[in-house]
Amino acid sequence: MTTLVLDPPQGRSTLPFIDARHPQRPLQVNVYRPARHRPEDEVVFVQHGMLRNGDDYRDFWIDAAEKHNLLIVAPTFGNDHFPKAEGYNNGLVVGADGAIAAEDDWLYAVPARVLAALRQAGVTKRDKVRLFGHSAGGQFVHRLLATQEQTPFETAFAANSGWYTLPTLERRFPEGLDGLGLGEAELARWLAWPMVIFAGNQDIVTSDPNLPAQVEALAQGPMRYARAHFVLDFAKAEAARRGLACNWSLITVPGIGHDGAAMSRAAAACWFEGRIPTAEELKPEAAPVA
């Protein structure tokens, strides 16, 4: 049986969701629904970090949700059913045997099906929504854009990713796009998408045990902030080499490190107030949340 309808109550909720392509891997959808939110109003999808804490990431957006009347939707991929980077950041694309899964089974299609379930319930009428992901969620977001030909997302921020899939067909996934059955048209589509790399300029720790440290990641730089610049430079160079447009950009958040709460507040202000607040306004967490 698959969940086809999601109808969250007002306020905070955590709803079970059975994806049609992964019936044996239940997930949760953490939602915040303001009392005044109507089906025509804005929707923000939020992808959590490696702690699989979609409830925290939902809560990071509650102040903005009330201020700007936003439905917050945080699909949450628990460790039990979506273990390790392969089961979340890397989208269940590569199996334990190294084989590439069927494209329909890649996790990057799940958020669109969550939106479809909300639309089915009449919670929203919107067919275009916003997407934010931090840390492992930033990895999820940019790989979603790389691999999905059509998405319901009108804008997307990939924040403080540990490392990046590069826009090249010459390196094996997840370092590049080789092996996925994607070609020149898909690469051109991704480079043309106005993806925003959202980077805290104090995300410069090199000794974080959760910072990817494989050879391919280290080749992108010693810390997350450097890797954000690396991937943008790589994309621009690759696009120029191929004679393609590159519509990616990088927005720096001054004074903020690897802090999912502060980066969420910064993204909300950027989208709905047209500004990046100061570090003092963003209230960096004493113990930043991944």
Side-chain angles (χ1 to χ4, degrees):
M1 180 177 177
T2 58
T3 300
L4 299 176
V5 175
L6 278 175
D7 189 4
Q10 290 180 6
R12 290 182 179 88
S13 61
T14 301
L15 305 179
F17 185 79
I18 305 298
D19 182 64
R21 299 295 302 189
H22 302 94
Q24 305 307 315
R25 297 178 186 260
L27 56 147
Q28 295 178 324
V29 181
N30 284 283
V31 182
Y32 186 78
R33 186 178 187 179
R36 62 192 173 103
H37 191 273
R38 297 294 176 263
E40 298 79 15
D41 296 330
E42 290 261 18
V43 179
V44 176
F45 270 61
V46 179
Q47 287 304 146
H48 57 78
M50 55 82 64
L51 297 178
R52 315 308 178 96
N53 50 341
D55 53 347
D56 288 330
Y57 274 86
R58 170 202 60 200
D59 291 356
F60 296 159
W61 282 80
I62 287 178
D63 286 349
E66 286 295 336
K67 185 175 183 179
H68 302 292
N69 194 25
L70 314 172
L71 179 70
I72 306 302
V73 183
T76 304
F77 298 87
N79 264 315
D80 287 348
H81 296 291
F82 304 94
K84 303 180 180 179
E86 291 74 17
Y88 174 46
N89 324 12
N90 296 350
L92 286 179
V93 171
V94 183
D97 60 356
I100 301 296
E103 185 174 348
D104 287 347
D105 290 334
W106 301 351
L107 289 188
Y108 306 123
V110 171
R113 293 196 282 267
V114 171
L115 178 61
L118 291 164
R119 284 171 52 85
Q120 182 70 24
V123 175
T124 182
K125 294 180 179 178
R126 298 185 74 94
D127 55 9
K128 289 294 182 182
V129 301
R130 298 173 187 259
L131 176 63
F132 170 86
H134 180 260
S135 194
Q139 294 187 47
F140 185 94
V141 164
H142 81 263
R143 292 182 182 123
L144 182 159
L145 297 177
T147 59
Q148 299 297 296
E149 182 176 356
Q150 295 183 331
T151 79
F153 303 111
E154 60 185 345
T155 186
F157 280 18
N160 288 350
S161 299
W163 77 303
Y164 295 85
T165 293
L166 302 175
T168 174
L169 301 173
E170 297 165 8
R171 306 190 195 190
R172 189 79 174 172
F173 186 84
E175 185 186 11
L177 300 177
D178 180 50
L180 301 185
L182 306 179
E184 301 283 345
E186 289 81 10
L187 178 60
R189 176 195 55 76
W190 185 28
L191 285 166
W193 214 96
M195 183 175 77
V196 174
I197 301 160
F198 205 53
N201 74 350
Q202 294 305 301
D203 199 352
I204 56 176
V205 174
T206 59
S207 58
D208 179 354
N210 295 317
L211 178 68
Q214 66 269 43
V215 171
E216 298 88 350
L218 290 172
Q220 298 181 8
M223 83 280 285
R224 294 181 182 91
Y225 188 59
R227 294 175 188 181
H229 286 271
F230 176 92
V231 71
L232 181 61
D233 290 344
F234 185 101
K236 288 180 175 179
E238 185 69 5
R241 185 173 75 86
R242 293 175 173 273
L244 298 172
C246 179
N247 292 329
W248 298 9
S249 60
L250 188 151
I251 295 176
T252 293
V253 183
I256 301 301
H258 200 66
D259 185 333
M263 293 295 285
S264 294
R265 291 189 279 267
C270 186
W271 277 338
F272 301 108
E273 299 172 21
R275 68 190 187 97
I276 298 294
T278 65
E280 291 74 21
E281 289 179 275
L282 291 172
K283 303 174 184 175
E285 302 294 304
V289 182

